[in-house]
């Protein structure tokens, strides 16, 4: 991983794209119930808040391992959210 700045950008862009896909789905399906897509958006926002809080944690012993674990968590949680979007 190159920097903390890039990790923050990855978190922002990845989860922002997932939210954007939910919005596109809602526009493509105007008569469908949007409660599931809104739940995915809410989950993406809470995931964003949690990951950014972990990035800003100051009491970390090994920063390299800490940031790699955040990156891995982003990947797994984003994949789960994408699976939910695909299931809509």
């Amino acid at each position: 991983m190159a920097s903390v700045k890039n990790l923050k950008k990855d978190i922002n862009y990845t989860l922002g794209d997932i939210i954007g896909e939910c919005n596109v789905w809602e526009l493509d399906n105007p008569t469908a119930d949007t409660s599931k897509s809104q739940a995915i958006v809410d989950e993406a926002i809470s995931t964003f808040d949690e990951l950014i809080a972990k990035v800003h944690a100051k009491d970390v012993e090994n920063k390299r391992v800490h940031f790699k674990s955040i990156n891995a968590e982003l990947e797994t949680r984003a994949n789960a959210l994408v699976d939910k979007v695909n299931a809509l």
Side-chain angles (χ1 to χ4, degrees), residues 7-57:
L7 177 60
K8 289 181 189 178
K9 285 182 181 181
D10 286 345
I11 292 169
N12 189 29
Y13 293 150
T14 303
L15 296 174
D17 285 345
I18 292 170
I19 292 170
E21 286 300 317
C22 287
N23 291 336
V24 168
W25 182 86
E26 289 176 0
L27 291 174
D28 287 343
N29 303 295
T31 59
D33 183 25
T34 60
S35 63
K36 290 182 182 178
S37 63
Q38 287 302 313
I40 294 170
V41 169
D42 292 341
E43 187 177 346
I45 292 171
S46 67
T47 299
F48 175 84
D49 292 340
E50 292 169 14
L51 292 177
I52 291 296
K54 288 181 181 182
V55 168
H56 290 293

